[in-house]
Amino acid sequence: MTNNDFIGLAISYVYAIGLLVIGEGLRRLFGVKPDFTRKLIHIGAGMWAFGVLLLFNHWEIGIIPFASFIGLNYLFYRYRIIGAMDTQDSSPGTVYFAISVTLLFGLLWRPDGPVDSVAIAVAGIMAMTWGDALAALIGRRFGQHKYQVGNSVRSWEGSAAMFVASTVVIFLVLLLLPGSSLSPLAKPFSLAWALLTAVITATFATLAEAVSPHGTDNLSVPLVAAGVVWVIMQGF
C-alpha cells in the first residue's frame, strides 16, 4: 500500500467514527430519537462512497473500510453498543448495508481499467442511501395508508418517497459520475438515457423495498437497483 492509501484509510475511519459520535451525541445530549439518528448515520455512511472514489486509486484497498464494518456493525448490533444506531428492536440492517456496498464496489469498481462500472454500484448504493432512508422517515411521519407484504408493513406515502428519491439520485449519479474525475473510464450516459434508466431502476428498487423483510432492504435494494442498471447498460 502507498502512503496515500494509508491516508485514505485513516480519513475513512475518522469519518466513520465521527458519524457515530455525532449520532450518539444527538441522542444523548438532545434527546433525538434513534429512528432519526440511525437514518442520519445511514445517509452519512452511504455518501462516503464518493469519499472512497476520491481517496483511493485501487479498488482492493478502497473497499477495506466498508468491508471491515461488516464485522464491526455485527458487533454493534449484537451487543447494542451504539444506541444511536441499534436499539432492542433493530434489525441487522447495518450489517447488510456494509455487505452490499462491499459487494458492489468489489464487483464493479475498476479505476485502473479497462472499463470502470462504478457508476452502476453507486447508483444502487444511492437508492439504498437516500431512497430507503426517506421512505422510512416519511413513512413514519406521514404514512397514513398502509399495506402489508408478508410480515412487513409499509405505507404508500413511504413507497412514493422511495420512488421519487431513488429516481432523483440514480439520475444524478448516471448523468454526472461517468466520465468525471471520480470515474473517468466509465461510459457516459445521455440525459435521456440517464432519466429513463433512473425511472425504470427506481421502480424495481421501490418494489424490492416493499417486499423485503425488515432490515433486508439494505441488501435487496442496492443489489436489485445495480442489477437493473447493469442490464439496461448492456443494450446502451
Side-chain angles (χ1 to χ4, degrees):
M1 290 196 299
T2 66
N3 287 337
N4 286 341
D5 290 329
F6 283 112
I7 293 171
L9 289 173
I11 293 173
S12 295
Y13 286 111
V14 168
Y15 177 85
I17 293 170
L19 276 179
L20 297 177
V21 169
I22 290 171
E24 191 66 6
L26 289 173
R27 184 183 73 88
R28 293 191 179 193
L29 299 177
F30 300 100
V32 178
K33 293 182 178 179
D35 286 344
F36 181 83
T37 57
R38 182 181 173 93
K39 292 306 177 184
L40 179 66
I41 294 170
H42 173 102
I43 292 172
M47 290 301 290
W48 190 241
F50 296 103
V52 168
L53 296 182
L54 179 65
L55 293 172
F56 297 98
N57 294 318
H58 302 93
W59 70 268
E60 302 93 334
I61 307 299
I63 66 172
I64 289 175
F66 282 111
S68 64
F69 267 90
I70 296 173
L72 290 171
N73 283 348
Y74 175 76
L75 292 175
F76 295 154
Y77 161 73
R78 175 68 176 79
Y79 297 103
R80 303 298 196 272
I81 296 172
I82 301 174
M85 191 166 69
D86 293 302
T87 57
Q88 290 304 315
D89 61 346
S90 292
S91 72
T94 55
V95 181
Y96 301 141
F97 183 108
I99 290 173
S100 63
V101 176
T102 302
L103 279 175
L104 290 175
F105 267 18
L107 290 172
L108 298 168
W109 183 27
R110 294 298 180 270
D112 51 355
V115 178
D116 182 22
S117 299
V118 77
I120 300 175
V122 175
I125 293 166
M126 289 302 106
M128 169 181 62
T129 298
W130 288 100
D132 179 59
L134 292 178
L137 292 172
I138 291 177
R140 288 193 185 97
R141 178 67 179 83
F142 301 105
Q144 300 297 317
H145 303 86
K146 307 290 186 180
Y147 65 93
Q148 184 169 352
V149 179
N151 293 324
S152 299
V153 178
R154 301 287 196 271
S155 71
W156 289 107
E157 293 84 356
S159 292
M162 170 75 187
F163 174 75
V164 172
S166 296
T167 299
V168 171
V169 294
I170 293 170
F171 171 69
L172 291 175
V173 167
L174 297 180
L175 185 66
L176 301 177
L177 184 56
S180 71
S181 60
L182 297 181
S183 182
L185 300 179
K187 182 180 179 181
F189 273 75
S190 68
L191 189 149
W193 266 103
L195 181 58
L196 178 61
T197 301
V199 171
I200 295 172
T201 304
T203 301
F204 280 93
T206 301
L207 291 173
E209 195 270 342
V211 302
S212 297
H214 183 51
T216 61
D217 48 2
N218 279 349
L219 196 60
S220 62
V221 167
L223 296 182
V224 166
V228 172
V229 176
W230 185 85
V231 169
I232 293 174
M233 285 192 69
Q234 301 314 298
F236 175 59

